[in-house]
Amino acid sequence: MKKLLIALLIGLLVVTSVGCNKEISMNDSNEALVNQDEQNVGDDGGELPDSYNLLMTLGTETSSTYAMGIQISEYFLDIAPQIRSTVKVGAAGSNIELANAGQTDIAHTQSDLIYAALNGLDPFTEKKENFKGIATVMESVFHLAVTAEAPVNTLDDIIEQKYPLKISVGAQGSGIETLFKKILGTYDITYDDIKAWGGRVEFLSMSEAATLFGDGQLNAVTILAGVPYAGITEVATANDIKFIEVPKSVKDKLLSQGYIDKPILAGSYKGQDSEISSLGVAVSVIASNSANEAVVYEITKFLNSEEGIKILSDVNSGYATYMKGPETGIAGLEDILHPGAERYYKEVGILK
C-alpha cells in the first residue's frame, strides 16, 4: 500500500490534468483530441516523435490499471520527456469505444469485451475494428459475495427463491456489470426482475459498496478483479460473507465469448475454506489504430520488460501473478496487434 501511495503521489507531479480529466465532457474530449492531432508529429515506427500528447484512459483512480498508467507516464518521463502523458478515468467497455473512435491513444479492456467488439455483440451495436492489442497484463476473476445469513447458496437458489438481491454491480458499462448481466441472461433474468423481487441494483465503486454492505443497505457485492482483491478482503474482514459459485451450466454458455474458466482458490479470503468455481477475463492494454507506432512500441517493451513487471508487481500482486514476459504479454492478442506492439514481439522472437 505504501508503495502504491508513493507511486500515486509521484505520478500526480508528472501526469498532467489527471485530477480533472475524469470530469471531461465529450465536447472537451473532442477538443483535446483536436489539440493532440495538431501537436503529434512523426509516426514512422522508428524514432519517437519530437512532440506527442499521450492520452491513456484506464480504470478508476484507485484501480491497478490507473496506477499502471502513472507508471507508463513515469517511464516516458525518464526516456522521452517530450511525450506529454495524461491519465484519464474510464471503464473497460467504454474504453473500447474511445479507442475505436480515436479519442484516446491507450486504454485497458477485457477479453470478453474485445470479443464482443470485434463481433458487434452486446454491449456494442456494431463491429469495432479501429483498435489493436498491446499486451495482456492480468487475469481477473468474477466474485459474487452475499451476507452469510442469506438463505441462498447458489445462483439457482437466488433465481428459484426470487431472492431480493440488493447488489452493487460496479459502474454501468464496466466489465463487472457486463458479465453480471450476461450471467443473469443465461437464466433469462434482468435487473427489472431483481427489482420486482424487492431487490435493487446499484452502480457503485467497490469502496462505496463496501460501506453500504457494512451498513446493511446491500446484501450482495460483485467485482471482477485479481485474487485476492483488497475491496473484497475489506468486506470479508468486517462482515461474515459467503461466495456464490458460477455453475458449469453458465460457464458452458459463456466460455466461447472471451471468458476463461478461473476459480477463486481456497483460502483467498477470511472464512473461504474451499475453492469457488467462477469465470474470469484477461485484462489487456489496447491502442487506437491512430496511436503513434513508436510510442506503442515503447509501451509494449515496458510492459513486458523485467523492470516494468517488477514496478507493476509492486503496485498490484495480480500483475506479479500473471506477467512473466512477452509470452504472457501476447496471449490472446496474436491476431489483433498494433504495428508498434507487433514490432516488439517480432524483435524478441515471439512472432516471426
Coordinates of all heavy atoms in Angstrom, one line a residue, residues 237-273:
T237 N -13.4 -9.1 6.0 CA -12.8 -8.9 7.3 C -13.9 -8.2 8.2 O -13.9 -8.6 9.4 CB -11.6 -8.0 7.2 OG1 -10.6 -8.6 6.4 CG2 -11.0 -7.7 8.6
A238 N -14.7 -7.3 7.7 CA -15.6 -6.6 8.5 C -17.0 -7.3 8.6 O -17.8 -6.9 9.5 CB -15.8 -5.2 7.9
N239 N -17.2 -8.3 7.7 CA -18.6 -8.9 7.7 C -18.4 -10.4 7.5 O -17.4 -10.9 6.9 CB -19.4 -8.3 6.6 CG -19.5 -6.8 6.5 OD1 -20.3 -6.2 7.2 ND2 -18.5 -6.2 5.8
D240 N -19.4 -11.2 7.9 CA -19.5 -12.6 7.6 C -20.1 -12.7 6.2 O -21.3 -12.3 6.0 CB -20.3 -13.3 8.6 CG -19.6 -13.4 10.0 OD1 -18.3 -13.4 10.0 OD2 -20.3 -13.4 11.0
I241 N -19.4 -13.3 5.2 CA -19.9 -13.4 3.9 C -19.7 -14.8 3.4 O -19.0 -15.6 4.0 CB -19.2 -12.4 2.9 CG1 -17.7 -12.8 2.8 CG2 -19.4 -11.0 3.4 CD1 -17.0 -12.0 1.7
K242 N -20.3 -15.1 2.3 CA -20.1 -16.3 1.5 C -20.1 -16.0 0.0 O -20.7 -15.0 -0.4 CB -21.1 -17.4 1.9 CG -22.6 -17.0 1.6 CD -23.5 -18.1 2.2 CE -25.0 -17.6 2.1 NZ -25.9 -18.6 2.7
F243 N -19.5 -16.9 -0.7 CA -19.4 -16.7 -2.2 C -20.4 -17.6 -2.9 O -20.6 -18.7 -2.6 CB -18.0 -16.9 -2.6 CG -17.0 -15.9 -2.2 CD1 -16.3 -16.1 -1.0 CD2 -16.8 -14.7 -2.9 CE1 -15.4 -15.2 -0.5 CE2 -15.9 -13.8 -2.4 CZ -15.2 -14.0 -1.2
I244 N -20.9 -17.0 -4.0 CA -21.8 -17.8 -4.9 C -21.0 -18.2 -6.1 O -20.4 -17.4 -6.8 CB -23.0 -16.9 -5.3 CG1 -23.8 -16.4 -4.1 CG2 -23.9 -17.7 -6.3 CD1 -24.4 -17.4 -3.3
E245 N -21.0 -19.5 -6.4 CA -20.3 -20.1 -7.5 C -21.0 -19.8 -8.8 O -22.2 -19.5 -8.9 CB -20.1 -21.6 -7.3 CG -19.2 -22.0 -6.2 CD -18.8 -23.4 -6.3 OE1 -19.6 -24.2 -6.7 OE2 -17.6 -23.7 -5.9
V246 N -20.2 -19.8 -9.9 CA -20.7 -19.8 -11.3 C -20.8 -21.2 -11.7 O -19.7 -21.9 -11.9 CB -19.8 -19.0 -12.2 CG1 -20.4 -19.0 -13.6 CG2 -19.7 -17.5 -11.7
P247 N -22.0 -21.8 -11.9 CA -22.1 -23.2 -12.2 C -21.7 -23.5 -13.6 O -21.6 -22.7 -14.5 CB -23.6 -23.5 -12.0 CG -24.2 -22.2 -12.3 CD -23.3 -21.1 -11.8
K248 N -21.4 -24.8 -13.9 CA -21.0 -25.3 -15.2 C -22.0 -24.9 -16.3 O -21.6 -24.6 -17.4 CB -20.8 -26.8 -15.2 CG -20.3 -27.4 -16.5 CD -20.1 -28.9 -16.4 CE -19.5 -29.5 -17.6 NZ -20.4 -29.3 -18.8
S249 N -23.3 -25.0 -16.0 CA -24.3 -24.6 -17.0 C -24.1 -23.2 -17.5 O -24.4 -23.0 -18.7 CB -25.7 -24.8 -16.4 OG -25.9 -24.0 -15.3
V250 N -23.7 -22.3 -16.6 CA -23.5 -20.9 -17.1 C -22.2 -20.8 -17.8 O -22.1 -20.2 -18.9 CB -23.5 -20.0 -15.8 CG1 -23.1 -18.6 -16.2 CG2 -24.9 -20.0 -15.2
K251 N -21.2 -21.5 -17.3 CA -19.9 -21.4 -18.0 C -20.0 -22.0 -19.4 O -19.4 -21.4 -20.4 CB -18.8 -22.3 -17.2 CG -18.4 -21.7 -15.9 CD -17.4 -22.6 -15.3 CE -16.9 -22.1 -13.9 NZ -15.9 -23.0 -13.3
D252 N -20.7 -23.0 -19.6 CA -20.9 -23.6 -20.9 C -21.4 -22.6 -21.9 O -21.1 -22.7 -23.1 CB -21.8 -24.9 -20.9 CG -21.1 -26.1 -20.2 OD1 -19.9 -26.0 -20.0 OD2 -21.8 -27.0 -19.8
K253 N -22.2 -21.7 -21.5 CA -22.8 -20.7 -22.4 C -21.9 -19.5 -22.6 O -22.0 -18.8 -23.6 CB -24.1 -20.2 -21.8 CG -25.2 -21.3 -21.7 CD -26.5 -20.8 -21.1 CE -27.5 -21.9 -21.0 NZ -28.8 -21.4 -20.4
L254 N -20.9 -19.3 -21.7 CA -20.1 -18.0 -21.8 C -18.7 -18.2 -22.1 O -18.0 -17.3 -22.6 CB -20.2 -17.3 -20.4 CG -21.6 -16.8 -20.0 CD1 -21.6 -16.1 -18.7 CD2 -22.2 -15.9 -21.1
L255 N -18.1 -19.4 -22.0 CA -16.7 -19.6 -22.2 C -16.3 -19.4 -23.7 O -15.1 -19.1 -24.0 CB -16.3 -21.0 -21.8 CG -16.2 -21.2 -20.3 CD1 -15.8 -22.7 -19.9 CD2 -15.1 -20.3 -19.7
S256 N -17.2 -19.4 -24.6 CA -16.9 -19.2 -26.0 C -16.9 -17.7 -26.3 O -16.7 -17.3 -27.5 CB -17.9 -19.9 -26.9 OG -19.2 -19.4 -26.7
Q257 N -17.2 -16.9 -25.4 CA -17.4 -15.4 -25.6 C -16.3 -14.6 -25.0 O -16.4 -13.4 -24.6 CB -18.7 -15.0 -25.1 CG -19.9 -15.7 -25.7 CD -21.2 -15.2 -25.1 OE1 -21.4 -14.1 -24.6 NE2 -22.2 -16.1 -25.0
G258 N -15.1 -15.2 -24.9 CA -13.9 -14.4 -24.4 C -13.7 -14.6 -23.0 O -12.7 -13.9 -22.4
Y259 N -14.5 -15.4 -22.3 CA -14.2 -15.6 -20.8 C -13.3 -16.8 -20.6 O -13.2 -17.7 -21.5 CB -15.6 -15.8 -20.1 CG -16.5 -14.6 -20.2 CD1 -17.5 -14.5 -21.1 CD2 -16.2 -13.5 -19.3 CE1 -18.3 -13.4 -21.1 CE2 -17.0 -12.4 -19.4 CZ -18.0 -12.3 -20.3 OH -18.8 -11.2 -20.3
I260 N -12.8 -17.0 -19.4 CA -11.9 -18.1 -19.1 C -12.4 -18.7 -17.8 O -13.1 -18.1 -17.0 CB -10.4 -17.7 -18.9 CG1 -10.3 -16.6 -17.9 CG2 -9.9 -17.2 -20.3 CD1 -8.9 -16.1 -17.6
D261 N -12.2 -20.0 -17.7 CA -12.5 -20.8 -16.5 C -11.5 -20.5 -15.4 O -10.4 -20.9 -15.5 CB -12.6 -22.3 -16.8 CG -13.3 -23.1 -15.7 OD1 -13.4 -22.6 -14.6 OD2 -13.7 -24.2 -16.0
K262 N -11.9 -19.7 -14.4 CA -10.9 -19.2 -13.4 C -11.6 -19.3 -12.0 O -12.5 -18.6 -11.7 CB -10.5 -17.8 -13.8 CG -9.3 -17.3 -13.0 CD -8.0 -17.9 -13.6 CE -6.8 -17.3 -12.9 NZ -5.6 -17.9 -13.3
P263 N -11.1 -20.1 -11.1 CA -11.6 -20.2 -9.8 C -11.1 -19.2 -8.8 O -10.0 -18.6 -9.1 CB -11.3 -21.7 -9.4 CG -9.9 -21.9 -10.0 CD -10.0 -21.1 -11.3
I264 N -11.7 -19.0 -7.7 CA -11.2 -18.3 -6.6 C -10.6 -19.4 -5.6 O -11.3 -20.2 -5.1 CB -12.3 -17.5 -5.8 CG1 -12.9 -16.5 -6.7 CG2 -11.7 -16.8 -4.6 CD1 -14.1 -15.8 -6.1
L265 N -9.3 -19.4 -5.5 CA -8.7 -20.5 -4.8 C -9.0 -20.5 -3.3 O -9.2 -19.4 -2.7 CB -7.1 -20.5 -5.0 CG -6.6 -20.6 -6.4 CD1 -5.1 -20.5 -6.5 CD2 -7.1 -22.0 -7.0
A266 N -9.0 -21.7 -2.7 CA -9.4 -21.8 -1.3 C -8.4 -21.0 -0.5 O -7.2 -20.9 -0.8 CB -9.3 -23.3 -0.9
G267 N -8.9 -20.3 0.6 CA -8.1 -19.5 1.5 C -7.8 -18.1 1.0 O -6.9 -17.4 1.6
S268 N -8.4 -17.7 -0.1 CA -8.1 -16.4 -0.6 C -8.7 -15.3 0.3 O -8.1 -14.2 0.3 CB -8.7 -16.2 -2.1 OG -8.0 -17.1 -3.0
Y269 N -9.7 -15.6 1.0 CA -10.4 -14.6 1.8 C -10.8 -15.2 3.2 O -10.9 -16.5 3.3 CB -11.7 -14.1 1.2 CG -11.4 -13.4 -0.2 CD1 -11.6 -14.0 -1.4 CD2 -10.8 -12.1 -0.2 CE1 -11.3 -13.4 -2.6 CE2 -10.6 -11.5 -1.4 CZ -10.8 -12.2 -2.6 OH -10.5 -11.5 -3.8
K270 N -11.0 -14.4 4.2 CA -11.3 -14.9 5.5 C -12.6 -15.7 5.4 O -13.6 -15.3 4.8 CB -11.6 -13.7 6.4 CG -12.1 -14.0 7.8 CD -12.5 -12.8 8.6 CE -13.1 -13.1 9.9 NZ -13.6 -11.9 10.6
G271 N -12.5 -16.9 6.0 CA -13.7 -17.8 6.1 C -14.0 -18.6 4.8 O -14.9 -19.3 4.8
Q272 N -13.2 -18.4 3.8 CA -13.4 -19.0 2.5 C -12.4 -20.2 2.4 O -11.3 -20.1 2.0 CB -13.2 -18.1 1.3 CG -13.4 -18.7 0.0 CD -12.2 -18.6 -1.0 OE1 -11.4 -17.7 -0.9 NE2 -12.1 -19.6 -1.8
D273 N -12.9 -21.4 2.9 CA -12.1 -22.6 3.0 C -12.0 -23.5 1.8 O -11.2 -24.4 1.8 CB -12.5 -23.4 4.3 CG -12.4 -22.5 5.5 OD1 -11.5 -21.7 5.6 OD2 -13.3 -22.7 6.4

